[in-house]
């Protein structure tokens, strides 16, 4: 367990799907871990992001995201969902190389036109470097982003979006020209706050 | 859309807001400092000020209808109510909530980062508006037009992280004639507050005195009373 993260209490504690909606799980995967338990995330750690392929029926088409997806009826738990989806999308085998170090707060989309969805984020560390590839038609690109983007304030940007006739401002992260915002930003921001990273002026 | 029968159903929902907490405490900042006050803390903020002390308000929260919020405020029964966040004014129903509270006779304070347009707020509201200094990392978010809208009920607040922030605040105050506005009554107050764990309080107080700056020096009173990291105070 990484201090500050929530425990995963097992499949018996998985939440019920929201009314008329479904459950999903995503993986926040951190690399380059020094050996000891106490020093899991170093300043040279990286975390894995994907860019979703453009798809007319995907409400998050073309956006930056964490690997993951909907729970499948054959998944024995939400943790199994996160591991399966990560393997299908990026070929990273968390079952073999990953260590579960906790989970983050469950998030749900705030925008009314998005599907009713509860997303449970799991956090993993990798004991050995593992190659990631865009392995599914849903994934356009994989990016190992430096964890320093979360630790400092220099990558923080604002993403503006017209909605219902007004321009809304969202906190966002600039990952080498790619904008991470919305649900994925909320998950990463929750992780940042739980890690006690405040940013520097 | 009900997929079972193919008939579309329209659900009329009451206006709602996402609420991190509603609590009764002593007002810790502004010219209302020391007064018992009900705080309505809305969830979410588009800013990420480096020294933010309420990051727990960025995520989560409970969905509450305006009627539920008003019922809780009435139950607490305090005549002074502050709407805060996060940044409360990213929620369009925050404006409705403020108006309803004014209409019910409450003294209503709205604490805002200054990044959103304050014009639609009910005239009876007391706006406490930040001007973000360089050390916050969010200076680019200052919506300077808001200064023209503030009036005799309203206050401007600078949170100072270091000497650079202080000098920046001093130039803004002097260049924009804010001291004159307080003197002639078209602005209620200018507040300067040190970052709790960053700026030395005494140094800031001495800089203000040396420069004869006509502002109000403040520290966050609630952090002297309770644990500085405590929620709901």
């Amino acid at each position: 367990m990484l201090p500050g993260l929530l425990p995963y209490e097992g499949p018996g504690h998985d939440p019920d799907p929201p009314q008329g909606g479904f459950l999903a799980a995503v993986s926040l995967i951190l690399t380059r871990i020094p050996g000891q338990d106490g020093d899991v995330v170093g300043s040279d750690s990286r975390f894995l992001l994907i860019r979703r392929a453009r798809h007319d029926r995907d409400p998050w088409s073309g956006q930056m995201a964490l690997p993951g997806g909907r729970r499948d009826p054959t998944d024995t738990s939400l943790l199994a969902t996160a591991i399966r989806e990560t393997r299908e999308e990026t070929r990273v085998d968390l079952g073999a190389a990953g260590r579960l170090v906790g989970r983050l707060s469950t998030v749900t989309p705030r925008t009314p036109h998005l599907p009713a969805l509860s997303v449970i984020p799991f956090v993993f560390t990798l004991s050995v470097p593992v190659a990631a590839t865009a392995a599914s038609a849903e994934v356009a690109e994989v990016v190992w982003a430096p964890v320093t983007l979360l630790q400092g304030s220099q990558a923080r940007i604002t993403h503006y979006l017209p909605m219902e006739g007004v321009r809304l401002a969202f906190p966002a992260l600039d990952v080498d020209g790619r904008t991470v915002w919305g649900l994925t930003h909320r998950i990463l921001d929750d992780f940042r706050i739980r890690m006690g990273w405040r940013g520097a002026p | 859309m009900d997929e079972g029968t193919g008939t579309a159903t329209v659900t009329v929902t009451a206006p709602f807001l996402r609420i991190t907490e509603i609590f009764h405490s002593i007002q810790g900042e502004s010219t209302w400092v020391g007064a018992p006050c009900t705080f309505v803390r809305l969830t979410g903020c588009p800013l990420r000020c480096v020294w933010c002390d309420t990051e727990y308000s960025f995520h989560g929260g409970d969905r509450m209808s305006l009627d539920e919020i008003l019922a809780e405020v009435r139950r607490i029964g305090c005549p002074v109510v502050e709407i805060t966040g996060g940044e409360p004014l990213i929620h369009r129903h925050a404006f409705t909530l403020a108006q309803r509270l004014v209409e019910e006779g409450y003294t209503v304070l709205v604490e805002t980062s200054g990044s959103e347009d304050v014009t639609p707020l009910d005239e009876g509201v007391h706006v406490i508006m930040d001007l973000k200094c360089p050390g916050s990392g969010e200076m680019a978010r200052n919506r300077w037009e808001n200064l023209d809208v503030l009036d005799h009920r309203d206050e401007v607040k600078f949170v100072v992280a270091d000497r650079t922030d202080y000098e920046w605040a001093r130039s803004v105050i002097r260049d924009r004639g804010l001291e004159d506005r307080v003197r002639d009554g078209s602005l209620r107050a200018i507040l300067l507050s040190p970052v709790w764990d960053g700026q030395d309080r005494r140094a800031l107080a001495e800089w203000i005195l040396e420069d004869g700056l006509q502002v109000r020096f403040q520290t966050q009173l609630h952090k002297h009373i309770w644990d500085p990291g405590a929620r709901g105070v």
Side-chain angles (χ1 to χ4, degrees):
Chain A
M1 274 285 294
L2 208 51
L5 302 194
L6 300 168
Y8 179 58
E9 289 161 326
H13 296 268
D14 282 346
D16 292 326
Q19 201 181 355
F22 54 90
L23 289 172
V26 296
S27 307
L28 173 56
I29 307 164
L30 298 141
T31 66
R32 290 242 202 151
I33 313 306
Q36 328 78 312
D37 275 5
D39 183 26
V40 176
V41 181
S43 58
D44 55 354
S45 289
R46 290 179 173 263
F47 62 99
L48 185 62
L49 289 168
I50 62 169
R51 189 159 52 79
R52 297 172 75 95
R54 296 207 176 274
H55 196 298
D56 288 346
R57 292 183 57 193
D58 179 3
W60 295 280
S61 167
Q63 294 186 19
M64 299 301 293
L66 294 166
R70 285 196 199 199
R71 180 172 189 161
D72 186 283
T74 61
D75 292 335
T76 52
S77 67
L78 279 165
L79 177 61
T81 305
I83 294 171
R84 177 184 53 75
E85 286 280 349
T86 301
R87 191 178 52 238
E88 289 172 4
E89 292 179 341
T90 68
R91 292 210 185 112
V92 172
D93 188 353
L94 294 168
R99 180 166 61 163
L100 179 70
V101 290
R103 68 175 176 87
L104 301 168
S105 299
T106 301
V107 291
T108 54
R110 294 226 178 105
T111 325
H113 68 261
L114 290 175
L117 169 71
S118 290
V119 182
I120 290 80
F122 292 93
V123 184
F124 298 88
T125 56
L126 289 178
S127 44
V128 289
V130 171
T133 46
S136 122
E138 296 164 32
V139 181
E141 184 188 20
V142 295
V143 180
W144 285 108
V147 84
T148 47
L149 294 186
L150 303 176
Q151 290 169 324
S153 53
Q154 68 280 2
R156 292 179 194 170
I157 55 169
T158 305
H159 180 64
Y160 292 99
L161 200 68
M163 205 176 276
E164 296 173 23
V166 290
R167 195 177 77 141
L168 296 183
F170 295 89
L173 202 62
D174 176 79
V175 180
D176 207 10
R178 304 163 184 87
T179 300
V180 180
W181 68 285
L183 214 62
T184 302
H185 182 271
R186 276 160 58 197
I187 294 168
L188 294 173
D189 207 39
D190 183 31
F191 178 67
R192 174 185 70 79
I193 293 166
R194 289 177 181 282
M195 296 302 287
W197 297 333
R198 302 296 297 254
Chain B
M1 187 76 180
D2 179 336
E3 290 181 357
T5 62
T7 55
T9 52
V10 178
T11 314
V12 179
T13 53
F16 75 89
L17 285 164
R18 197 166 275 280
I19 299 291
T20 294
E21 53 186 357
I22 300 177
F23 60 97
H24 189 210
S25 186
I26 299 288
Q27 175 59 255
E29 302 180 65
S30 80
T31 61
W32 301 86
V33 68
C37 178
T38 298
F39 292 83
V40 181
R41 189 182 302 287
L42 275 52
T43 309
C45 185
L47 280 67
R48 290 293 179 272
C49 298
V50 165
W51 36 253
C52 180
D53 60 359
T54 31
E55 293 196 304
Y56 63 87
S57 71
F58 290 171
H59 307 292
D62 295 318
R63 197 180 141 106
M64 288 177 76
S65 71
L66 281 194
D67 288 338
E68 287 170 328
I69 297 165
L70 288 164
E72 180 60 11
V73 169
R74 289 186 206 114
R75 189 191 67 75
I76 292 171
C78 184
V80 182
V81 180
E82 174 172 300
I83 303 172
T84 185
E87 170 47 62
L89 301 185
I90 57 173
H91 307 277
R92 62 194 166 108
H93 292 311
F95 296 92
T96 321
L97 174 63
Q99 185 189 1
R100 295 272 297 272
L101 288 165
V102 170
E103 285 167 0
E104 291 198 17
Y106 292 98
T107 297
V108 180
L109 321 178
V110 170
E111 192 154 334
T112 173
S113 65
S115 68
E116 309 303 311
D117 184 7
V118 301
T119 317
L121 275 171
D122 188 283
E123 278 189 2
V125 165
H126 297 268
V127 181
I128 301 155
M129 189 185 87
D130 278 8
L131 282 171
K132 295 295 183 188
C133 299
S136 70
E138 291 285 11
M139 190 173 62
R141 306 301 293 273
N142 287 324
R143 195 183 166 96
W144 294 102
E145 312 90 276
N146 276 340
L147 275 180
D148 302 329
V149 184
L150 300 184
D151 66 17
H152 65 280
R153 293 178 186 80
D154 306 325
E155 312 179 13
V156 170
K157 182 171 85 180
F158 297 84
V159 177
V160 174
D162 55 23
R163 176 75 194 182
T164 307
D165 277 3
Y166 170 74
E167 289 179 10
W168 182 86
R170 187 184 59 194
S171 330
V172 169
I173 290 163
R174 296 257 156 97
D175 294 350
R176 293 177 184 263
L178 297 184
E179 291 161 302
D180 293 341
R181 283 188 60 179
V182 174
R183 248 191 305 275
D184 72 23
S186 67
L187 187 66
R188 183 173 162 107
I190 307 160
L191 314 165
L192 253 66
S193 184
V195 171
W196 182 261
D197 272 327
Q199 168 65 44
D200 181 68
R201 290 193 279 265
R202 188 166 144 185
L204 177 59
E206 287 171 358
W207 297 338
I208 291 169
L209 294 172
E210 273 166 34
D211 290 334
L213 206 57
Q214 293 304 299
V215 297
R216 294 199 193 198
F217 171 87
Q218 300 223 311
T219 71
Q220 295 170 294
L221 179 66
H222 51 292
K223 294 186 181 177
H224 293 278
I225 306 174
W226 292 283
D227 179 330
R231 296 172 54 156
V233 296

